Amino acid sequence: MNHTPEFADPQLVSLDQAIARLKDGKLVAIPTETVYGLGADAADPLAVAKVFAAKGRPSNHPLIVHCASLAHAERFMQPPSAAMQTLLKTVWPGPLTLVTAKTDAVSPVITGGRDTVALRCPAHPLTRELLQRSGLALVAPSANRFGRVSPTSAAHVLSEFPGKDIGVLDGGECTLGIESTIVRENGDTLEVLRVGALSIPELKTLWPGSVVYNASTKGGVPGALATHYAPERGVWLWHYPKSFAFNESDLVCGWHKPDMLCQFQLLPDDPVQCAAMLYPLLRSADLRAEGRLIIEMPPATEAWMAIADRLTRAAHRD
Ligand code: AMP
Ligand code: MG
């Protein structure tokens, strides 16, 4: 069965076209509240393989399965605890991904052969409608080539995959702009495996036991590489109040205007607002004719942890 036309390059599609392509085993980039995902039917291993190929993502970096609702997600996971069920009912649809024991309904192609699955219900209205109307569950890693900055608009996706047969569902700019927070339950403890759009202070208000993010849980997800989210021309980090040799052509973004001559952009005081502009800012590094993009490191508090994490990975150089 192959009814939908093949695209020479990524192309915008309607919701109906998106559903038809996905049912045909083709790729569609979908808007979510976090970043755009490169979607494929989770029940179709050949379609899932196309996601790994298009991204250039190693097959041992497992994919998150996106579902319409908790009831839908429960087909793919072993029964959650009462505490987990309460948490998921509160935050889904929303930017929290749960890693938990899987059922046989999840193909090993998705999990890289693991017995766990990562699940999430995205909140974007267009993607919710797509999931509800199609009845599909979708794998949807960020719609960028492996190691590059995640896309937060349809235009980013259109330019990311020249020559690839990808439909793009335009849902405007992502409101949160940073990937989901990934957690795992361990007894009474909620272990944070990746910091993200749902902050640790928020999780602490929602989870009855302790919430931990430390050296043993951090990087607890396969594929958590030191370098990631990186613009090609690089980004430099400024640890205020340390001295930094700014040049006139540099753009400095942060909360303290340097005394030296350079361009300066004030960043929002609120981590949620700051996250929403982070990836477009990182992308702008590649568009600069000259001068460096230099970003001030945010305060070392839990509320800013996801932004500090992405900045550190974007700037990492061996
Ligand atoms: P992303 O690259 O944003 O799609 O995020 C996927 C993240 O979820 C990766 O860091 C994966 O390692 C993690 N993940 C996905 N599936 C699993 C799984 N089955 N077990 C553990 N971690 C997973
Ligand atoms: Mg990604």
Side-chain angles (χ1 to χ4, degrees), residues 57 62-64 99 111 114 116-118 141-142 179 182 194 221-222:
R57 178 166 168 134
L63 306 177
I64 298 173
V99 170
T111 67
R114 286 172 191 77
T116 53
V117 61
S142 55
E179 291 82 358
I182 304 182
R194 174 177 78 186
V221 287

Side-chain angles (χ1 to χ4, degrees), residues 195-206:
V195 282
L198 190 67
S199 73
I200 291 180
E202 279 172 279
L203 273 176
K204 284 183 171 170
T205 68
L206 297 169

Side-chain angles (χ1 to χ4, degrees), residues 101-160:
K102 79 177 193 71
T103 64
D104 290 343
V106 184
S107 156
V109 181
I110 294 173
T111 67
R114 286 172 191 77
D115 55 9
T116 53
V117 61
L119 290 160
R120 160 167 129 80
C121 294
H124 193 288
L126 201 52
T127 289
R128 279 177 62 67
E129 196 180 337
L130 182 151
L131 291 168
Q132 280 158 0
R133 270 181 45 192
S134 68
L136 300 174
L138 301 178
V139 295
S142 55
N144 53 273
R145 283 171 285 146
F146 186 64
R148 304 287 312 281
V149 180
S150 302
T152 53
S153 73
H156 294 161
V157 185
L158 290 170
S159 64
E160 182 79 18

